[in-house]
Amino acid sequence: MIWKVPYINLGKQFKNLEKELTAEFKRVMNNGDFILRADVKKFEENLANYLGVNHVIGVNSGTDALYLSTDALEIKSGDEVITVAHSFVATAASIVYRRAKPIFVDIGDDYNINSNLIEKVITKKTKAIMPVHLNGRSCEIEKIIDVAKKYGLFVIEDAAQALGAEYKGRKVGSFGNLGCFSLHPMKTLSCAGDGGFISTNNDFLADKIRTLRDHGQKIKGDYLFFGHNSRLDNLQAAILNVKFQHLDEYIKKRREIAEKYNEELSSLPIILPPAPSNEKYFDTYTSYVIRTDKQEKLIKFLRAQDIESYIHINQPLYSYPGLNLKNFHLKNNEKICKEILSLPIYPEMNDKQTKYVIDSMHKFFSEDSS
Ligand SMILES: Cc1ncc(COP(=O)(O)O)c(C=O)c1O
């Protein structure tokens, strides 16, 4: 289906970068440089500089970034990890995969973990906190780091949706012990398929994760554990290094569209995304999420106007296998799930398309109230 306004448009992004990307593709293919070669190293250096951290380790996906993190921190059966249900399923899965128990905390109106509730659920079994920076907005990470320090807990930031987002001028993924990022096609910086990376300032963890992503073991420096095959492909890294040069421009464009939405949709009976960026938050708008009590009706209406929109997180309260979410206090989470809707937002979206979405939103609510 060809939409008047698709949710994203990676074909257009490719057209804009076709010459550089094709040249890189040919170079890598001609050289046969596929596994852990110079382009991966360059990508890791680019991203470490960008985030202001000592190490970045390229891996196979954002999911693997989380799995390798819980693995590297030796989270194990009997441990508890505090996190949110209002996230992509991989967040909780990375805890369950270690046979540990996710302890879900409710979210605030910014869609992120309510940091005031964390201390209440800490027990002797708590090993780590795994906050998520959802939709390209930082959670209250400074407060979470303080709580973690007080109780001697690890912090794994799930920054899969938040590359470039800042809290008080500092990039997310640089606060905790480990930061986990996704390079999935839906993300602000994306490769041609799956990819991800981990950020850290800790030399030991960086080395351990580099070993874990490449089948584990390590003879002289000891270790000797089994590992994974989770390396970021060199071809993907070459593609990413081209796109990385445009990352700030992509974020700027997303923020401009969000600003237009914020202005032009403010008169409608909907809840807009959390207050726009200020001295505390720099948002990247990986998703532009509104809230409405007419979620399903609005999606259908937009579809009829040829506009692609999504309910990104509508399932988790009931579909985490083996976990009964009714055991947790997730009132706001439950309410918000029934109201959220993500509007199209991507750097290649033109003014005409943005206006069309805005006009269609106005049309829906004027027809709906009449
Ligand atoms: C919050 C969050 N965590 C983890 C992931 C997993 O990333 P990937 O799809 O690259 O495996 C995603 C991907 O959508 C995500 O949004």
Side-chain angles (χ1 to χ4, degrees):
M1 168 149 190
I2 296 177
W3 301 87
K4 259 189 201 155
V5 191
Y7 189 72
I8 52 167
N9 193 340
L10 290 168
K12 203 166 167 190
Q13 189 179 82
F14 175 64
K15 275 270 164 288
N16 293 340
L17 301 174
E18 187 166 359
K19 230 172 116 190
E20 298 101 297
L21 287 174
T22 309
E24 284 302 88
F25 176 76
K26 283 186 179 160
R27 178 182 62 79
V28 173
M29 295 302 282
N30 278 326
N31 292 343
D33 280 343
F34 297 126
I35 306 286
L36 295 180
R37 305 306 286 261
D39 299 288
V40 174
K41 193 160 184 285
K42 188 172 163 209
F43 172 77
E44 292 177 340
E45 283 166 9
N46 281 342
L47 269 295
N49 285 335
Y50 181 76
L51 295 174
V53 295
N54 293 340
H55 307 279
V56 156
I57 305 114
V59 298
N60 244 326
S61 65
T63 302
D64 274 12
L66 291 164
Y67 276 48
L68 290 168
S69 295
T70 51
D71 203 339
L73 295 175
E74 294 175 24
I75 290 180
K76 60 182 186 316
S77 172
D79 290 340
E80 293 178 352
V81 178
I82 298 169
T83 189
V84 283
H86 193 71
S87 182
F88 184 63
V89 67
T91 311
S94 71
I95 300 162
V96 176
Y97 145 78
R98 297 291 303 169
R99 312 223 182 286
K101 188 175 173 194
I103 302 295
F104 296 117
V105 166
D106 209 355
I107 52 170
D109 287 338
D110 60 353
Y111 308 114
N112 283 327
I113 191 164
N114 182 339
S115 56
N116 295 323
L117 303 176
I118 294 175
E119 263 189 286
K120 293 188 182 119
V121 296
I122 291 176
T123 70
K124 282 193 184 118
K125 295 178 180 172
T126 310
K127 185 96 179 258
I129 309 172
M130 188 183 282
V132 181
H133 307 289
L134 209 68
N135 305 327
R137 184 185 183 86
S138 173
C139 67
E140 281 292 336
I141 189 65
E142 215 172 57
K143 196 160 169 196
I144 292 167
I145 298 291
D146 286 348
V147 173
K149 277 191 184 140
K150 186 170 161 190
Y151 292 91
L153 307 173
F154 294 121
V155 175
I156 304 169
E157 295 176 70
D158 182 342
Q161 297 190 7
L163 178 60
E166 295 176 10
Y167 186 87
K168 293 188 183 168
R170 189 170 150 191
K171 295 256 187 324
V172 303
S174 69
F175 289 85
N177 302 85
L178 296 167
C180 299
F181 291 84
S182 168
L183 300 163
H184 179 278
M186 294 285 271
K187 302 300 189 286
T188 310
L189 178 65
S190 64
C191 50
D194 279 310
F197 65 91
I198 297 170
S199 56
T200 184
N201 282 315
N202 185 303
D203 298 349
F204 171 74
L205 285 175
D207 185 64
K208 192 171 177 185
I209 291 167
R210 281 186 201 286
T211 309
L212 271 173
R213 80 168 166 184
D214 192 21
H215 298 288
Q217 310 153 78
K218 186 163 189 176
I219 314 293
K220 280 184 193 144
D222 288 333
Y223 290 152
L224 291 178
F225 42 62
F226 290 109
H228 307 251
N229 178 354
S230 184
R231 304 164 297 219
L232 177 68
D233 287 334
N234 196 66
L235 183 57
Q236 297 289 11
I239 290 168
L240 288 160
N241 287 332
V242 171
K243 290 198 190 182
F244 173 72
Q245 294 165 39
H246 301 274
L247 176 59
D248 282 337
E249 172 197 323
Y250 290 161
I251 292 172
K252 186 166 173 274
K253 202 74 220 298
R254 283 174 176 276
R255 285 165 55 82
E256 281 167 10
I257 296 165
E259 210 175 301
K260 263 189 213 147
Y261 278 160
N262 286 341
E263 270 170 36
E264 303 287 336
L265 302 178
S266 64
S267 61
L268 297 179
I270 59 174
I271 298 176
L272 294 175
S277 302
N278 49 38
E279 67 286 348
K280 211 164 161 189
Y281 302 102
F282 178 87
D283 296 7
T284 61
Y285 293 98
T286 306
S287 305
Y288 186 91
V289 182
I290 60 144
R291 283 170 62 184
T292 167
D293 54 4
K294 302 184 172 65
Q295 196 188 48
E296 286 295 342
K297 226 172 141 185
L298 180 54
I299 273 222
K300 275 194 199 129
F301 177 85
L302 292 175
R303 196 168 295 154
Q305 312 298 308
D306 252 351
I307 296 170
E308 191 179 21
S309 63
Y310 276 109
I311 302 168
H312 269 120
I313 304 174
N314 64 343
Q315 86 307 30
L317 280 177
Y318 306 104
S319 67
Y320 279 132
L323 298 172
N324 187 354
L325 297 192
K326 290 287 173 197
N327 291 336
F328 303 95
H329 300 284
L330 305 175
K331 231 173 143 185
N332 211 29
N333 193 144
E334 197 156 1
K335 184 173 181 322
I336 283 176
C337 272
K338 294 182 193 128
E339 299 177 351
I340 49 172
L341 192 146
S342 309
L343 296 180
I345 189 162
Y346 53 94
E348 298 76 22
M349 194 167 159
N350 62 35
D351 289 350
K352 217 170 127 193
Q353 288 174 309
T354 310
K355 186 171 180 320
Y356 184 64
V357 176
I358 291 165
D359 290 348
S360 300
M361 289 288 287
H362 278 271
K363 193 167 172 221
F364 173 78
F365 284 100
S366 65
E367 285 176 9
D368 192 69
S369 62
S370 58

